[in-house]
Amino acid sequence: MTVSEWAVHIGRLSVLLMWFALLLRARPALKQRDQRGLWLAILAAAIATTLFQPEVVDWAVEVTGNERAVALSRNVVGVVAAGLTVLFVVDSTHPRRARLAIAAATSAAVVTLVGLDLARGDYPGPAVPAGGPAEPSAVYWVVVCCAHVIADIAVVVLCGRYSARTGDRDLAWSLRLFAFGSALAVVYWAGHLVHLSDRMPGALPWLAVLINLHGVTRAFTLLVPTATRAARLVRDARVVWVLWPLWRDLSAAVPTVALLPPRPSRLREVLRPRAPLALQAHRQVIETFDAMLHLQAHHAPHIYERAARHAKALRVPAAASQAAALAGAVGQARRARLSGESAAAPRPFPGLDRGDGTLLLTMARHWPAMSPRLPTGEQVP
């Protein structure tokens, strides 16, 4: 596959990704002031990128019958989108005259392009052929390229500044991705400026790849909050899944700690939770700790040491040995409670006072091997 074909495929992918991201993020982004400007900027970029796709160009020429008007419209829309992107990225704290200056510069560029096109008279349409002069003029293309270069440099600077200021991690990453995409666009348009003065047709396919990757980064910019939410969902589902056997067994031994009884299987607990997964994971952690505190009244002397020797006999890694020994001690206390043994003065489980979610997850992984009755005279190699 040639570089030009790669560029076409990446271009199509970028358009699909941008419109998908715009639709997916429309409602939440438009409700948040920090995300609204980015959403509108990417909408402008999506419209401009869509108009540059070969299939869209062919369709527009077929419908209008005027290739020149279509080519001019694409360039005008691209310049307007570049100006709007800067306007959307500039926040309301900037002076009104700065926003007016951006609008005025964009309008002047558009008027200049239309004027140069009309002044050329009858010609096929704006183009920079491999041999021969640029149409309608070199000045026309200098205006197009410079408008994009200046706008994208401004976006890189502004997004870099805002990403360093904000305390919102998702917004910071969105701004960094947006700035990276604009940096790719700077290289693309600067390359076309060089091509205008010194033809280099071999570089054009590579420049097309860059500008289409710019579209992909625009889509990813909007999808950062969605990716963060998906990562949290996966993390919470993992906690629920891993902790479920330990939580189920301890809830059965100390049913008063459970707000709701465990479901028959952990698959159902993950796929059909009775609360958001984050809340379900939090509940399981808290209720497991509470059950362990209750079971301290059934913690017999020397059980933890026996459990530690058993963990060593099972060749549990040193990093997990404390959690495995704790799982063994808790397992024996659970068995004692279920067998009806009377409670005694609470004997703290070693390490439980420093426990956290990570400790519980490690315990849960070793629970099947450590929770059965401990051997009475294991030999430690």
Side-chain angles (χ1 to χ4, degrees):
M1 187 179 292
T2 65
V3 177
S4 297
E5 290 172 334
W6 271 109
V8 171
H9 289 311
I10 295 172
R12 291 171 182 156
L13 174 65
S14 70
V15 170
L16 291 175
L17 280 175
M18 278 193 284
W19 286 111
F20 169 75
L22 284 165
L23 291 173
L24 183 66
R25 292 289 303 162
R27 187 172 180 182
L30 291 175
K31 286 182 177 179
Q32 301 175 26
R33 181 177 172 274
D34 288 341
Q35 293 282 339
R36 190 182 306 137
L38 279 176
W39 190 91
L40 293 171
I42 293 168
L43 175 63
I47 293 171
T49 306
T50 302
L51 292 176
F52 275 80
Q53 296 307 303
E55 298 85 355
V56 177
V57 173
D58 294 342
W59 173 82
V61 171
E62 183 180 348
V63 169
T64 62
N66 191 334
E67 186 175 352
R68 173 181 173 179
V70 171
L72 175 64
S73 299
R74 288 165 58 204
N75 291 325
V76 168
V77 169
V79 170
V80 171
L84 288 175
T85 298
V86 181
L87 278 174
F88 293 142
V89 172
V90 170
D91 63 9
S92 59
T93 60
H94 277 70
R96 184 169 178 266
R97 62 176 177 272
R99 298 194 295 277
L100 288 176
I102 295 168
T106 304
S107 301
V110 169
V111 170
T112 302
L113 293 181
V114 174
L116 290 171
D117 180 80
L118 293 176
R120 177 67 175 81
D122 188 21
Y123 78 107
V128 183
E135 293 286 357
S137 67
V139 175
Y140 175 96
W141 286 102
V142 168
V143 171
V144 171
C145 294
C146 286
H148 282 282
V149 168
I150 293 170
D152 285 310
I153 288 176
V155 169
V156 170
V157 172
L158 290 170
C159 287
R161 184 183 303 166
Y162 294 160
S163 66
R165 286 182 190 170
T166 182
D168 185 331
R169 185 178 178 184
D170 285 352
L171 180 59
W173 276 107
S174 292
L175 290 169
R176 288 169 192 151
L177 278 172
F178 201 88
F180 178 70
S182 294
L184 294 177
V186 169
V187 176
Y188 172 83
W189 289 108
H192 274 277
L193 267 177
V194 175
H195 175 69
L196 189 63
S197 61
D198 185 11
R199 298 292 192 272
M200 45 178 195
L204 295 182
W206 293 101
L207 293 177
V209 169
L210 286 181
I211 198 64
N212 289 329
L213 287 175
H214 146 273
V216 173
T217 63
R218 290 290 191 255
F220 287 166
T221 295
L222 275 185
L223 293 175
V224 166
T226 303
T228 299
R229 187 168 54 190
R232 288 172 181 160
L233 190 66
V234 170
R235 180 196 63 195
D236 294 333
R238 172 178 166 270
V239 171
V240 171
W241 180 270
V242 173
L243 195 56
W244 187 83
L246 175 62
W247 171 66
R248 176 202 57 190
D249 289 350
L250 298 191
S251 296
V254 192
T256 55
V257 301
L259 181 63
L260 295 171
R263 290 188 175 233
S265 73
R266 59 177 166 183
L267 184 63
R268 187 178 298 182
E269 202 77 66
V270 171
L271 297 181
R272 298 185 62 185
R274 289 166 288 190
L277 278 174
L279 179 58
Q280 178 66 28
H282 181 69
R283 267 191 51 226
Q284 288 186 199
V285 169
I286 297 299
E287 291 172 1
T288 302
F289 269 121
D290 284 349
M292 290 167 65
L293 291 176
H294 280 80
L295 291 175
Q296 288 182 148
H298 297 273
H299 180 203
H302 311 301
I303 287 293
Y304 180 84
E305 290 75 13
R306 285 176 54 197
R309 291 195 297 271
H310 184 52
K312 189 174 182 180
L314 294 177
R315 303 186 188 280
V316 172
S321 59
Q322 181 184 13
L326 185 57
V330 170
Q332 302 317 300
R334 169 182 170 272
R335 295 173 65 86
R337 181 180 176 96
L338 290 175
S339 66
E341 289 186 15
S342 301
R347 184 186 301 274
F349 290 115
L352 187 59
D353 57 333
R354 301 186 303 274
D356 55 16
T358 304
L359 174 69
L360 285 189
L361 291 177
T362 308
M363 283 182 61
R365 293 189 186 95
H366 294 281
W367 181 251
M370 297 298 299
S371 60
R373 188 183 300 277
L374 293 175
T376 57
E378 63 274 66
Q379 297 296 318
V380 179

